[in-house]
């Protein structure tokens, strides 16, 4: 409620709805808002009146967007953790408690049915009263009625998708949501596509329904004139309308509210319902290129990505490549010692074994480690800053200018050290040294050190790394790996989510980061909780900024999906995830009657490329929108996947991706060197994570920021510091 009150207060100013000159660049508004939200009042007073007004308007517009984002993040957190999560856990406990009662009732019914079946075998001449006499010798009729009532109470109807236990439990928490449900759609403006329109209308109508004071029935019931029966589906029918269904034209108020709220939340996450004023929950389709904007970039984007306007020849070529690859791999199975086929016809590939290190290499490593000097993290940062002065020039102030402070490199190194080590400035600050005074460190941190500056400066570090001989020996910088580190956030935050496996009883975030094959971090993103990596992998890929582009992307199984395969290859990236459970993977072929011998157990799916041909114009427009940064890849993936029920366009991209998934799995089977390369870069990333974990040792390695920007800035500092330690080829001590 506090978050919605804040949104309402900011919207009430009306400044965000002022019509701006279309010629004002969006980037200028972003810069003004950043300055307005970060600068001190004394700095603002120095500017002329028009500049102050422009800064105020831009800041309010940004605050509107940010507060709506935060309010909807809190709604998502409430639904996932406080309502859905707790309701499911409580429902599981109730299942255990009610099992003896259900088992006893079921046993009684089983006795009666057994007698009934025996009576049926006697013949047609047996009469009904005789059957009842036979049943009552085993179980009295009253106990049988009680058993039927118990089963009806505890077991869902045959057409239900589950037992509805957690939904019933959630409906009992009406007091938790009654307040914000009445004002949510009144404070925040929502829109919907045709799939979400009916649910949004039902959600918008809830305040009026809840405000109604009935005189002829309990307030716990709603008149059917306030209920949209089309929105009530599945198990909710039983909870809303009763079981058996009520005949008095009334419905359960609590169940209906939660039925609408659950569907509203689900469609909001799918972006079938969206908030136009938000930056994270807006409509992705409204951001796609269309009309003149699309025509202006179409030819250049298709040329860059190597995609045709007409897919006929392109798809035929891919069909031929897939067919030939199947035949080549099948022909090589007999000579492939790493591959075995079990009695069920499943294919198993042996894990890659480490190459034995010769004694001379072990001795050389020990000698080099003994010769390396030990330095502080801050000394390593300072030395690299001297090697790469462009890093400092990329750290612009809130107003967009460059620093003119003396010894700013010392201040930057001190701030990065404190943030990367997760300690305060107290042990870093030194009285009498201007660059290390406490107020100076606070000023540099507040003015220059933020995630977007790190992203702008990082390409200069990447270029510096490329010139190191050892980095060249590791790789060419064209292969990258994506994986996540988990961090506990012990303070209340809308962006921290529970996961007992990684965070215990607390909540946390994932730092999803990408490194190249030269062991250098090139991009990262902070993810709430442990959301599936596949939803965010493309965001990380396209946030790497300028510099040499990684063409091959390696991830773990968590980042894999057919959709990501399709989008990555459409965006001219070679996607190489490390797939688990290879024998159970399903591959795809172009024709159902083609025989690939031992590979038939894998090639169980048949591609329907008609879907791709039908939706190709929309596919290339969507891909071009991602490529030109018109839309966020995360929003696109959410919109297309729809929680495992993809749209028609999503299914078309899935089909396209299955071609490359099949080619990838076949390559894993046939090429041990590829498996070794994937394992190698993943080990390289695990090594960098181990370094980051060792550096980030203060305060038990936990994050204490409540807002996304704080989390992003500190983990950005950690990533930059880990890169500094990687550039300087010496061991680092804390």
């Amino acid at each position: 409620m506090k978050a919605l009150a804040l949104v309402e207060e900011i919207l009430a100013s009306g400044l965000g709805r002022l019509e701006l000159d279309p010629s004002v660049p969006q980037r200028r508004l972003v810069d003004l808002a950043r300055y307005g939200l970060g600068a001190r009042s004394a700095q603002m007073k120095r500017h002329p009146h028009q500049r102050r007004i422009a800064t105020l308007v831009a800041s309010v517009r940004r605050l509107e967007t940010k507060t709506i984002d935060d309010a909807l993040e809190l709604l998502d957190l409430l639904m996932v953790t406080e309502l859905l999560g707790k309701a499911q856990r409580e429902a599981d406990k109730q299942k255990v408690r009610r099992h003896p009662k259900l088992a006893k009732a079921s046993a009684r019914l089983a006795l009666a049915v057994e007698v009934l079946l025996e009576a049926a075998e006697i013949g047609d001449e047996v009469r009904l009263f005789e059957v009842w006499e036979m049943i009552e010798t085993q179980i009295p009729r009253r106990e049988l009625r009680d058993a039927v009532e118990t089963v009806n109470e505890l077991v869902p109807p045959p057409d239900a998708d589950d037992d509805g236990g957690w939904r019933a439990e959630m409906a009992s928490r009406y007091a938790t949501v009654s307040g914000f449900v009445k004002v949510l759609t009144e404070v925040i403006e929502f829109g919907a596509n045709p799939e979400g329109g009916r649910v949004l209308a039902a959600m918008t109508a809830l305040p009026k329904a809840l405000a109604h004071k009935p005189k002829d029935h309990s307030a716990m019931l709603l008149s059917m004139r306030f209920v949209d029966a089309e929105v009530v589906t599945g198990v909710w029918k039983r909870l809303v309308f009763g079981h058996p269904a009520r005949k008095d034209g009334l419905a359960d108020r609590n169940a209906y509210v939660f039925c609408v709220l659950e569907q509203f939340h689900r469609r909001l996450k799918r972006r079938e319902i969206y908030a136009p004023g938000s930056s994270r929950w807006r409509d992705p389709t409204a951001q796609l290129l269309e009309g003149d904007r699309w025509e202006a970039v179409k030819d250049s984007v298709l040329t860059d990505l190597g995609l045709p306007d007409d897919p006929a020849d392109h798809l035929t070529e891919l069909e031929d490549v897939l067919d030939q690859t199947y035949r080549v791999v099948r022909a090589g199975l007999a000579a492939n010692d790493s591959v075995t086929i079990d009695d069920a016809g499943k294919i198993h590939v042996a894990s890659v074994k480490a190459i034995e290190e010769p004694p001379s290499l072990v001795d050389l490593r020990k000698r080099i480690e003994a010769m390396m000097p030990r330095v502080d993290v801050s000394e390593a940062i300072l030395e690299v800053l001297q090697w790469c002065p462009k890093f400092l020039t990329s750290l612009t102030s809130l107003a967009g200018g460059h620093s003119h402070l003396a010894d700013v490199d010392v201040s930057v190194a001190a701030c990065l050290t404190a943030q990367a080590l997760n300690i305060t400035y107290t042990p870093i600050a030194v009285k009498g040294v201007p660059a290390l005074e406490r107020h100076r460190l606070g000023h540099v941190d507040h003015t220059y050190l933020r995630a977007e500056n790190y992203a702008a400066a990082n390409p200069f570090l990447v270029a510096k790394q490329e010139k190191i001989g050892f980095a060249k020996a590791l790789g060419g910088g064209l292969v990258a790996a994506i994986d996540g580190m988990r961090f506990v956030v012990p303070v209340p935050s809308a962006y921290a989510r529970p996961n007992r496996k990684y965070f215990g009883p607390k909540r946390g975030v994932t730092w999803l980061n990408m490194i190249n094959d030269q062991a250098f971090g090139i991009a990262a993103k902070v993810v709430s909780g442990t959301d599936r990596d596949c939803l965010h992998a493309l965001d990380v890929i396209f946030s790497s900024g300028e510099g040499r582009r990684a063409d091959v992307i390696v991830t773990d199984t968590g980042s894999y999906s057919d959709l990501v395969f399709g989008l990555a290859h459409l965006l001219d990236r070679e996607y190489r995830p490390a797939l688990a459970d290879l024998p159970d993977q399903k591959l795809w072929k172009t024709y159902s009657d083609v025989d690939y011998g031992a590979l038939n157990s894998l090639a169980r799916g048949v591609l329907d490329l008609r879907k791709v041909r039908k939706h190709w114009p929309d596919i290339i427009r969507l891909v071009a929108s991602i490529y030109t940064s018109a839309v966020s890849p995360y929003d696109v993936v959410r919109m297309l996947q729809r929680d495992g029920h993809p749209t028609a366009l999503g299914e078309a991209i899935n089909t396209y991706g299955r071609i490359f998934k099949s080619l990838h799995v076949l390559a894993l089977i046939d090429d041990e060197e590829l498996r070794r390369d994937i394992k190698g870069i993943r080990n390289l990333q695990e090594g960098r994570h181990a370094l980051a974990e060792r550096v980030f040792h203060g305060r038990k390695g936990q994050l204490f920021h409540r807002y996304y920007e704080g989390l992003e800035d500190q983990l950005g500092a950690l990533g930059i510091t880990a890169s500094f330690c990687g550039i300087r080829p010496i061991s680092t001590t804390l």
Side-chain angles (χ1 to χ4, degrees):
M1 289 298 294
K2 290 181 179 179
L4 289 175
L6 182 59
V7 173
E8 188 173 23
E9 181 180 352
I10 294 172
L11 290 175
S13 71
L15 293 176
R17 292 188 290 275
L18 291 177
E19 188 174 346
L20 302 182
D21 190 333
S23 64
V24 178
Q26 182 63 29
R27 183 64 194 173
R28 181 57 178 160
L29 291 175
V30 172
D31 292 341
L32 282 172
R34 183 183 65 233
Y35 179 72
L37 295 175
R40 294 176 172 84
S41 58
Q43 295 173 285
M44 295 287 293
K45 289 178 181 178
R46 300 190 193 120
H47 297 295
H49 177 72
Q50 287 188 339
R51 167 66 186 272
R52 293 201 302 268
I53 293 297
T55 303
L56 175 63
V57 172
S59 300
V60 171
R61 289 171 68 94
R62 171 61 187 142
L63 277 175
E64 285 186 5
T65 300
K66 187 176 184 304
T67 52
I68 292 174
D69 285 345
D70 290 344
L72 294 180
E73 285 289 343
L74 283 170
L75 171 63
D76 185 42
L77 181 66
L78 174 69
M79 291 296 297
V80 172
T81 60
E82 298 300 320
L83 294 176
L84 294 174
K86 287 185 177 180
Q88 287 174 340
R89 289 192 294 272
E90 186 60 31
D92 290 341
K93 292 178 183 177
Q94 288 183 6
K95 274 185 183 179
V96 174
R97 287 196 294 266
R98 78 188 185 191
H99 177 74
K101 185 178 179 182
L102 178 61
K104 187 175 180 180
S106 300
R108 289 174 175 172
L109 290 178
L111 281 175
V113 172
E114 250 183 65
V115 174
L116 183 62
L117 293 175
E118 289 175 4
E121 294 176 358
I122 295 175
D124 296 336
E125 63 276 6
V126 65
R127 298 183 180 182
L128 178 60
F129 75 90
E130 294 174 334
V131 175
W132 269 116
E133 288 177 354
M134 295 171 64
I135 291 175
E136 288 180 332
T137 60
Q138 300 293 326
I139 178 172
R141 188 177 302 195
R142 178 182 54 79
E143 292 185 11
L144 189 60
R145 284 202 181 98
D146 291 343
V148 171
E149 289 179 4
T150 299
V151 171
N152 280 337
E153 177 187 351
L154 300 179
V155 177
D159 60 344
D161 54 0
D162 61 31
D163 63 7
W166 65 267
R167 290 181 172 88
E169 177 61 30
M170 187 169 68
S172 68
R173 302 172 184 267
Y174 173 77
T176 306
V177 303
S178 60
F180 77 80
V181 162
K182 296 174 183 177
V183 298
L184 179 63
T185 55
E186 294 178 357
V187 173
I188 299 177
E189 178 189 357
F190 290 98
N193 63 18
E195 288 80 8
R198 188 142 201 162
V199 174
L200 178 58
M203 187 72 183
T204 305
L206 277 183
K208 181 180 179 181
L210 299 180
H212 178 68
K213 304 294 184 183
K215 296 180 180 179
D216 54 349
H217 59 79
S218 168
M220 301 288 289
L221 300 172
L222 281 178
S223 170
M224 287 300 295
R225 64 191 176 92
F226 294 116
V227 175
D228 185 349
E230 295 296 323
V231 172
V232 184
T233 58
V235 176
W236 283 116
K237 290 183 178 179
R238 179 187 180 200
L239 299 175
V240 174
F241 302 131
H243 179 63
R246 303 176 65 98
K247 304 295 185 182
D248 54 4
L250 299 175
D252 187 283
R253 179 198 65 185
N254 296 3
Y256 180 68
V257 167
F258 275 97
C259 168
V260 174
L261 183 59
E262 186 220 355
Q263 293 197 55
F264 176 84
H265 173 248
R266 186 191 312 131
R267 294 179 187 277
L268 184 65
K269 294 186 72 172
R270 294 178 181 178
R271 306 300 188 267
E272 294 171 351
I273 295 175
Y274 50 84
S278 169
S279 63
R280 301 187 183 203
W281 302 87
R282 59 187 177 182
D283 179 16
T285 59
Q287 312 302 318
L288 298 179
L289 297 173
E290 59 182 353
D292 294 339
R293 291 173 60 215
W294 168 224
E295 293 299 329
V297 301
K298 180 178 179 180
D299 291 340
S300 60
V301 169
L302 293 183
T303 301
D304 289 349
L305 298 178
L307 295 175
D309 198 7
D310 183 346
D313 294 341
H314 176 63
L315 294 178
T316 300
E317 181 182 352
L318 289 177
E319 286 180 310
D320 293 340
V321 169
L322 181 60
D323 179 66
Q324 289 301 316
T325 304
Y326 269 115
R327 298 183 188 281
V328 169
V329 173
R330 180 187 64 178
L333 284 178
N336 193 336
D337 297 333
S338 301
V339 176
T340 57
I341 303 175
D342 62 21
D343 295 338
K346 293 185 176 181
I347 293 179
H348 300 263
V349 179
S351 58
V352 177
K353 296 181 179 179
I355 299 174
E356 187 176 351
E357 295 180 342
S360 59
L361 178 59
V362 176
D363 180 65
L364 177 63
R365 182 182 295 115
K366 290 180 179 179
R367 288 172 179 269
I368 292 175
E369 288 177 354
M371 290 187 291
M372 282 188 172
R374 300 177 70 81
V375 300
D376 289 335
V377 170
S378 56
E379 292 177 359
I381 295 174
L382 268 174
E383 186 168 346
V384 175
L385 287 178
Q386 292 172 1
W387 296 348
C388 188
K390 289 184 178 180
F391 180 88
L392 283 176
T393 60
S394 300
L395 303 180
T396 57
S397 69
L398 294 171
H402 299 285
S403 173
H404 299 290
L405 297 171
D407 297 326
V408 69
D409 58 334
V410 176
S411 302
V412 168
C415 291
L416 287 175
T417 300
Q419 293 190 30
L421 271 60
N422 201 26
I423 59 177
T424 65
Y425 288 136
T426 301
I428 300 290
V430 179
K431 278 189 176 183
V433 179
L436 295 177
E437 289 280 1
R438 179 63 182 82
H439 68 87
R440 168 74 171 267
L441 296 179
H443 170 73
V444 170
D445 179 14
H446 177 76
T447 308
Y448 299 101
L449 300 183
R450 55 186 183 274
E452 60 187 52
N453 276 354
Y454 298 144
N458 199 57
F460 298 114
L461 295 178
V462 174
K464 191 69 181 178
Q465 172 91 339
E466 291 174 350
K467 298 177 182 178
I468 298 176
F470 181 66
K472 293 179 180 179
L474 288 175
L478 299 179
V479 180
I482 299 175
D483 200 4
M485 287 183 68
R486 319 291 183 182
F487 292 89
V488 172
V489 181
V491 297
S493 171
Y495 299 93
R497 303 299 170 91
N499 187 313
R500 299 193 71 86
K501 177 180 177 181
Y502 295 107
F503 311 131
K506 298 180 181 178
R507 298 175 182 177
V509 298
T510 297
W511 184 46
L512 193 64
N513 59 95
M514 179 167 68
I515 70 164
N516 61 18
D517 55 359
Q518 295 180 336
F520 200 89
I522 53 179
K525 180 183 180 181
V526 179
V527 176
S528 298
T530 55
D531 207 4
R532 280 202 67 191
D533 293 354
C534 68
L535 296 173
H536 305 273
L538 291 173
D539 264 0
V540 175
I541 293 171
F542 282 89
S543 65
S544 57
E546 299 178 358
R548 180 177 292 187
R549 187 189 79 170
D551 292 327
V552 179
I553 308 298
V554 176
T555 69
D556 62 8
T557 304
S559 294
Y560 151 72
S561 74
D562 292 344
L563 185 67
V564 176
F565 258 113
L567 288 173
H569 283 272
L570 285 164
L571 290 162
D572 198 25
R573 301 296 197 275
E574 193 173 336
Y575 185 52
R576 295 290 189 184
L579 298 178
D581 304 321
L582 187 61
D584 297 321
Q585 291 292 332
K586 179 181 180 180
L587 301 194
W588 302 77
K589 53 189 177 182
T590 52
Y591 303 104
S592 59
D593 56 350
V594 67
D595 181 18
Y596 294 125
L599 297 176
N600 285 337
S601 62
L602 280 174
R604 301 189 299 275
V606 180
L607 295 167
D608 185 2
L609 295 180
R610 291 173 299 178
K611 297 177 181 178
V612 182
R613 295 186 183 95
K614 177 181 178 181
H615 292 281
W616 188 256
D618 291 329
I619 289 174
I620 57 176
R621 184 167 67 93
L622 182 143
V623 168
S625 300
I626 296 176
Y627 185 73
T628 58
S629 301
V631 67
S632 159
Y634 171 79
D635 288 339
V636 168
V637 173
R638 272 285 189 196
M639 175 184 68
L640 297 177
Q641 278 194 342
R642 290 200 312 182
D643 297 332
H645 301 85
T647 63
L649 179 58
E651 183 58 32
I653 298 176
N654 281 344
T655 302
Y656 188 83
R658 287 164 186 156
I659 299 173
F660 295 96
K661 175 197 170 180
S662 301
L663 291 171
H664 173 58
V665 174
L666 291 171
L668 288 176
I669 293 172
D670 192 55
D671 190 349
E672 181 179 347
E673 196 62 34
L674 173 62
R675 300 197 299 273
R676 188 174 298 280
D677 288 343
I678 291 175
K679 180 70 173 176
I681 192 169
R682 294 190 66 209
N683 287 345
L684 196 65
Q685 187 166 40
E686 288 175 7
R688 186 171 184 268
H689 284 178
L691 170 64
E693 185 177 355
R694 188 181 176 196
V695 169
F696 198 78
H697 72 286
R699 295 189 283 184
K700 300 180 181 180
Q702 299 178 347
L703 291 163
F704 286 81
H705 295 281
R706 298 174 185 270
Y707 295 99
Y708 186 85
E709 289 77 7
L711 297 167
E712 190 178 38
D713 289 348
Q714 184 169 8
L715 290 176
L718 174 61
I720 286 291
T721 302
S723 297
F724 280 137
C725 295
I727 287 181
R728 196 182 193 284
I730 59 174
S731 63
T732 302
T733 181
L734 303 180

